[in-house]
Amino acid sequence: MLDKAAHENFPVAPFFLPRAWRTDLMAVYGYARLVDDIGDGDLPPGGADAELLGLDRDQAGDALAMLDAFEADLHRVFQPLGEPRHPLLAALRPTVHRHGLTPEPFRGLIEANRQDQRIRRYATYQELLDYCELSANPVGRLVLGITGTASPERIRHSDAICTALQIIEHLQDVAEDLRRDRVYLPAEDMKRFGVTEADLAAPRGGARLRALVAKEAERAAALLNEGTPLVGSVHGRLKVLLAGFVAGGRAALRAVAAAGHDVLPGPPRPTKLSLLREVGATLRREG
C-alpha cells in the first residue's frame, strides 16, 4: 500500500502533517486502494483477502462477490460494536469514529468499482463526470471530513479537483485501461476526433489521438482551476496538502504535454522537482 501511495500523482499523507492526520489519511487511502484492487483484479494471489471477508479462496477472482463481501464488512465499521474481518477496515474504524465520517463516501467508491464490472465504455463526457462522482469525489470529501473543514463551497471545489485528477489518471493510463477492456475516453469525443479503439492499441499515438488527449487534458485543467480556490480557503499545513493535490494534477498535465500528448508508450509521470515547482506556484497564487 505504501509503495502504491508513493506512485500517485498527488501526496497522500506527507510528513509535514500532524501524525494523527497522516494515520487517518493512510487509513482512507488504504481503503480506497483495496477497493480499486478488488475491482481491477489486482489482489495478491492466494485468496487471503477473500478468506478474510468470509469467502472461499476460489471466489477471490469474482470481483462482484468480493465487493459485496467488502461492503458487508464496511457495515461493521459503522456499528457501535462492529468488528470488521479485514485488517484494513479494522484500521479504518477508529478514523471513522474519531471524525464522525458517514458511510456514503465509502459506499460510493465500492459502487464505482461495481460499475467498472458492468460498464466499460462511456458515451458522453457527462457520463464520465457521473462516474467520477463515485470513483473520485468521495476521497476529497473524506479528506475534508478528517481535517474538519467541510462546507458546501469547499466540497464543490474539492469535487472539481478530484474529478480532474481522475480524468488525468485515465489519460495517463489509456493503454493500461484498454488492456483491461476499459475505455474512459468519451465515445462522442473519439468520434469527433476520428479516433478508434484500434488507435488506442497502437504502440504510439497518432495525430488524431494526441489531439483528443490534448482536448481532455484541457478540460481537466479547467476543472483544476475551478477547484483551486479550495487551497486559499484554508490555512497552515492543510493549505500545503491541498496545494499538493492541485499541483500533482498540474504537474501530471505538464508531463502529458511534454510527451506530445502521446500517452501510449507509457504513462507520462511528473518528476518530484516539477511537482514541487507546481506546489510553490499554487501557493503563491492562492496565498
Side-chain angles (χ1 to χ4, degrees):
M1 185 178 70
L2 290 172
D3 181 63
K4 290 181 178 181
H7 287 85
E8 298 287 357
N9 282 328
F10 52 87
V12 173
F15 70 93
F16 57 79
L17 293 178
R19 179 177 295 179
W21 279 10
R22 295 203 307 273
T23 298
D24 291 335
L25 290 170
M26 284 305 298
V28 166
Y29 177 78
Y31 173 89
R33 186 70 267 171
L34 180 57
V35 173
D36 280 352
D37 286 350
I38 292 172
D40 290 341
D42 286 342
L43 293 174
D49 288 284
E51 283 198 326
L52 285 168
L53 294 171
L55 299 175
D56 296 332
R57 283 180 178 265
D58 59 6
Q59 291 180 288
D62 186 337
L64 288 174
M66 287 284 290
L67 289 169
D68 288 346
F70 196 70
E71 185 169 29
D73 207 25
L74 172 67
H75 181 66
R76 298 183 182 97
V77 171
F78 292 90
Q79 293 176 330
L81 301 177
E83 295 183 8
R85 296 172 181 267
H86 200 286
L88 276 178
L89 287 174
L92 180 67
R93 192 172 187 275
T95 295
V96 163
H97 290 280
R98 186 157 44 242
H99 300 288
L101 302 179
T102 63
E104 286 73 23
F106 298 101
R107 289 174 178 159
L109 296 172
I110 293 175
E111 189 55 38
N113 278 272
R114 283 200 185 102
Q115 184 167 315
D116 277 334
Q117 311 310 309
R118 304 189 307 265
I119 300 174
R120 298 179 177 272
R121 306 291 189 277
Y122 290 86
T124 67
Y125 181 63
Q126 183 57 54
E127 286 185 7
L128 184 63
L129 294 180
D130 292 341
Y131 169 73
C132 292
E133 174 67 20
L134 295 172
S135 67
N137 298 358
V139 176
R141 297 182 185 193
L142 288 169
V143 171
L144 294 178
I146 287 171
T147 57
T149 53
S151 71
E153 184 176 22
R154 284 180 178 141
I155 288 172
R156 179 171 60 82
H157 289 145
S158 171
D159 286 354
I161 293 169
C162 290
T163 292
L165 292 175
Q166 179 75 89
I167 291 172
I168 293 165
E169 182 179 338
H170 289 328
L171 293 179
Q172 292 171 303
D173 295 339
V174 167
E176 179 182 342
D177 288 335
L178 185 66
R179 287 192 291 271
R180 299 180 189 272
D181 191 27
R182 295 174 185 165
V183 177
Y184 294 100
L185 295 168
E188 64 180 3
D189 296 341
M190 290 177 63
K191 182 178 181 181
R192 184 183 312 131
F193 282 84
V195 173
T196 67
E197 289 196 20
D199 295 321
L200 307 185
R204 302 196 67 89
R208 290 177 296 186
L209 175 57
R210 287 185 279 111
L212 171 57
V213 171
K215 175 61 179 179
E216 304 302 341
E218 181 184 325
R219 282 173 157 170
L223 284 168
L224 281 177
N225 291 338
E226 179 184 333
T228 299
L230 177 65
V231 177
S233 74
V234 298
H235 305 282
R237 285 176 280 189
L238 178 58
K239 188 186 194 77
V240 181
L241 175 68
L242 298 182
F245 293 163
V246 173
R250 287 180 172 152
L253 286 174
R254 286 189 182 276
V256 170
H261 296 98
D262 184 3
V263 295
L264 296 187
R269 301 293 185 192
T271 64
K272 289 185 178 180
L273 179 58
S274 66
L275 174 59
L276 289 173
R277 285 174 174 166
E278 290 294 341
V279 169
T282 301
L283 288 172
R284 285 192 296 273
R285 283 193 294 266
E286 298 298 323

